[in-house]
């Protein structure tokens, strides 16, 4: 039998599959099908998820494991900030180590166990990098620019200034008031840029943010390969950096930035060292369920909820209490 975990970072929900525990790792095609089937709420496996985090062995020195990210639509992403916190916790509890590196598509990233974010809410800090701004890292070549920093993009939305950066997955960011975050534009633009369009040919994570004050933001994200999620770790990290670059009076480097989101709150710390940006993302790493299932069913994506033995942990209650204790600067419903 094979064990999976159901986890979340800021209610950005994932399944973790540790392939080092399998008799036979899944093929890439099997991972795509598994991601689509496990994550679809209609299939009733714990109401689905936003993605599957696949843990593999890493042969890099000083690296405890490799993380691959399969979105709910089966597409693969180069990075997942909320997910990396949960994989870091999984590997920490598996090995007993509390500070180490995890291999991701474009970099081996530093992770470190933190003090609990609140009672019963374990937390990890993870490195978000590499950070790039140019069209080579972002597929927006049809917008006639090599960079998009605090620029109007009338082709996409009149009267809105955007910033785009890759961390290394692609993000497009705009700052505005609550109407922008909860109005119709976000869904329309998010669906357009993640469908057939000449601007972001590989899709893009769309982040709208409200500035709450010095080093305080609220960020809502329409994620590539998923749609609206309760939080996007790389989105909150990229938005924090865009905040400091476009509002240097309010967003500061080397200072914790409080980032609220529909699923809770995380902290980010921006760094610029040796001509390199990187972002620390600090937040919860919550395990809500353990699941066991026959490995063959995962390979064949041939399962219903009845094929899983599911155990619920006691952690979600503690996280709900944490979220309830937070201010609600913007009214966006939490997606179950
Ligand atoms: N949907 C994203 C991957 C997951 C990122 C998000 N869940 C996070 O926490 O960073 C993409 O395709 O780039």
């Amino acid at each position: 039998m094979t064990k999976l975990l159901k986890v979340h970072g800021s209610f950005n929900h994932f399944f973790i599959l540790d392939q080092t525990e399998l008799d036979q790792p899944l093929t890439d095609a099997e991972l795509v099908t598994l991601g689509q089937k496990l994550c679809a709420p209609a299939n009733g496996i714990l109401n689905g998820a936003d993605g599957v985090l696949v843990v593999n062995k890493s042969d890099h020195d000083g690296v405890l494991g490799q993380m691959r990210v399969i979105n709910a639509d089966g597409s693969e992403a180069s990075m997942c900030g909320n997910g990396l916190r949960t994989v870091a916790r999984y590997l920490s509890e598996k090995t007993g180590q509390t500070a180490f590196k995890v291999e991701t598509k474009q970099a081996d990233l530093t992770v470190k166990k933190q003090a609990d974010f609140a009672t019963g809410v374990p937390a990890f800090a993870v490195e978000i990098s590499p950070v790039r701004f140019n069209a080579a890292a972002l597929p927006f070549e049809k917008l006639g620019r090599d960079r998009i920093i605090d620029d109007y993009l009338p082709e996409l939305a009149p009267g809105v200034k955007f910033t785009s950066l890759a961390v290394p997955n692609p993000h497009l960011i705009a700052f505005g008031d609550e109407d922008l975050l909860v109005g119709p534009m976000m869904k329309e633009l998010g669906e357009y840029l993640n469908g057939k369009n000449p601007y972001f040919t590989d899709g893009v994570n769309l982040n709208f943010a409200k500035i709450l004050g010095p080093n305080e933001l609220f960020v809502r994200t329409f994620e590539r390969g998923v749609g609206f999620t309760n939080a996007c770790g790389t989105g909150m990290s990229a938005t924090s950096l865009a905040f400091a670059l476009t509002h240097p009076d309010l967003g500061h480097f080397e200072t914790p930035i409080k980032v609220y989101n529909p699923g809770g709150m995380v902290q980010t710390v921006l760094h610029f060292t040796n001509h390199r940006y990187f972002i620390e993302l600090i937040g919860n790493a919550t395990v809500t369920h353990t699941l066991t299932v026959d490995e063959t069913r995962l390979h064949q994506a041939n399962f219903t909820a009845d094929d899983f033995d599911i155990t619920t942990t006691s952690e979600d209650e503690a996280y709900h209490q944490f979220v309830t204790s937070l201010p609600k600067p913007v009214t966006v419903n939490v997606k179950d």
Side-chain angles (χ1 to χ4, degrees), residues 12 14 71 77 79-83 169 205 223-224 226 232-234:
N12 188 197
F14 303 100
N71 283 319
M79 184 45 196
C80 177
N82 288 328
N169 56 339
N205 298 287
E223 282 198 41
R224 176 178 67 170
V226 192
C232 175
T234 50

Side-chain angles (χ1 to χ4, degrees), residues 188-200:
E188 287 162 12
L189 190 56
E191 288 176 345
Y192 173 60
L193 294 178
N194 288 291
K196 191 159 175 45
N197 76 90
Y199 304 115
F200 284 89

Side-chain angles (χ1 to χ4, degrees), residues 20 83 90-91 111 221 224:
T20 66
Y90 171 73
L91 290 171
V111 301
T221 305
R224 176 178 67 170

Side-chain angles (χ1 to χ4, degrees), residues 1-4 17-27 30-31 34 54-56 90 94 293-296 298-299:
M1 296 294 269
T2 297
K3 192 176 98 171
L4 295 104
L17 171 64
D18 181 353
Q19 296 218 102
T20 66
E21 303 290 327
L22 297 182
D23 297 333
Q24 180 73 23
L26 273 67
T27 65
E30 288 174 340
L31 286 175
L34 179 70
V54 182
V55 176
N56 295 310
Y90 171 73
K94 186 176 180 184
V293 67
D294 180 279
E295 176 175 335
T296 312
L298 295 180
H299 284 276

Side-chain angles (χ1 to χ4, degrees), residues 124-156:
F124 272 77
V126 299
E127 175 192 353
I128 305 289
S129 78
V131 176
R132 292 196 295 265
F133 296 87
N134 58 16
L138 290 148
F140 53 55
E141 63 278 2
K142 289 289 181 304
L143 286 165
R145 298 164 171 82
D146 183 53
R147 290 176 167 230
I148 299 174
I149 297 183
D150 217 15
D151 275 343
Y152 287 109
L153 296 179
E155 306 91 328
L156 302 187

Side-chain angles (χ1 to χ4, degrees), residues 70-120:
I70 309 295
N71 283 319
D73 71 352
S75 62
E76 182 162 4
S78 54
M79 184 45 196
C80 177
N82 288 328
L84 182 56
R85 297 200 310 271
T86 65
V87 167
R89 176 179 170 189
Y90 171 73
L91 290 171
S92 174
E93 292 177 354
K94 186 176 180 184
T95 63
Q97 297 191 41
T98 55
F100 48 91
K101 284 186 182 259
V102 175
E103 178 187 341
T104 66
K105 272 257 184 222
Q106 293 190 25
D108 295 345
L109 300 176
T110 302
V111 301
K112 190 171 185 194
K113 184 170 172 52
Q114 302 293 291
D116 283 5
F117 231 44
T119 309

